[in-house]
Amino acid sequence: MPIQIEHLTHIYGDDTTLAVKALDDINLTISDGEFIGLIGHTGSGKSTLVQHLNGLLKASSGSILFDGQNIYDKGYDLKALRSQVGLVFQYPEHQLFEIDVFSDVCFGPKNLGLSEEEVKERATKALESVGIPKELYNQSPFDLSGGQKRRVAIAGVLAMDPKVLILDEPTAGLDPQGREEILDLIKGLQTKSHMTILLVSHSMEDVAEYVDRILVMNHGRVVYDGTPKEVFAHYKELEDIGLACPQVTYVCHDLHDAGFDVDLTATTVDEAKESILRALG
Ligand SMILES: Nc1ncnc2c1ncn2[C@@H]1O[C@H](COP(=O)(O)OP(=O)(O)O)[C@@H](O)[C@H]1O
Ligand SMILES: [Mg+2]
């Protein structure tokens, strides 16, 4: 179910003097099974873009084709779209509200009108896939740690069995350990399932090690689109738009400038390590 975005523009407060063009003629195709990082500094339009993909926000102009069908067509089933394109909001734990963890995760599938048995099955599977142990199922979501709450919120979306999973800054506000846990969890979901995953972040470091493709947004436009190596080759231009590349990019460039024959396209710590060891003979 590829997603094609064509000339997508979004203007907040279109008919007011405070109009903000948050998306400016975005053109993109997202193919099945891709693992994509969407990067950009605060205010670049990331959240606005992803909220279009499940029809929460409507474009000012342009179109979105899901599986070849324009979601803005008359009579298009937006409810079905929302169950296929799962969106985990930033700080999703703010949306936990049920009395216990299990009921919270059941909420989505229940709304799909599934049988009670299937709802429970889906919730159990989703909670297992995010590593929440059975002992916590009957606890209030508010008694969990920050990282656990977030995993429960992700489970709530997974229980809808989406084809596409979008996570808006899923590591925001977590400590380094919580961050790594969430990123490893997402990577695990990507390898085990056939889901298309779109990971929104303002940190290159977060996505470099994980994704196959990076989209860089600036001022409502997609300015780079490529593999991590292709995108980080623009590390100077990325700095100009307020985005730091992974630390290893700088280390390799510094070593290169100092006369060592290291690989300037290394984007992960492992690649950099190998290249540096090689350069040292
Ligand atoms: N509800 C809104 N009303 C008006 N302007 C908004 C609203 N939400 C976002 N914006 C503006 O749209 C632009 C893009 O914001 P956003 O999509 O939230 O970016 P990001 O997620 O990359 O931080 C920013 O200039 C922001 O101030
Ligand atoms: Mg945002």
Side-chain angles (χ1 to χ4, degrees), residues 4-14 20-27 47-65 70-73 78 81-82:
Q4 289 158 271
I5 301 170
E6 296 175 350
H7 301 294
L8 190 71
T9 294
H10 187 89
I11 302 170
Y12 285 108
D14 207 351
V20 176
K21 193 185 255 188
L23 298 179
D24 186 6
D25 194 25
I26 305 268
N27 292 282
S47 295
T48 303
L49 175 61
V50 298
Q51 288 175 68
H52 279 78
L53 299 181
N54 75 346
L56 270 184
L57 285 178
K58 189 165 189 297
S60 305
S61 61
S63 48
I64 298 175
L65 307 183
N70 192 343
I71 69 167
Y72 298 133
D73 278 351
L78 282 174
L81 178 72
R82 282 186 198 132

Side-chain angles (χ1 to χ4, degrees), residues 129-190:
S129 71
V130 299
I132 294 289
K134 287 229 158 40
E135 302 87 84
L136 297 180
Y137 286 11
N138 296 320
Q139 292 226 6
S140 161
F142 304 100
D143 292 338
L144 306 179
S145 74
Q148 285 171 332
K149 277 185 201 158
R150 204 158 289 186
R151 282 188 274 151
V152 169
I154 294 173
V157 172
L158 289 175
M160 303 287 282
D161 200 12
K163 306 272 184 299
V164 180
L165 179 65
I166 302 171
L167 302 115
D168 196 353
E169 311 240 14
T171 61
L174 295 180
D175 61 17
Q177 192 197 332
R179 213 169 82 185
E180 203 162 310
E181 275 173 24
I182 292 284
L183 290 171
D184 285 343
L185 161 70
I186 296 167
K187 178 71 196 168
L189 289 173
Q190 206 268 338

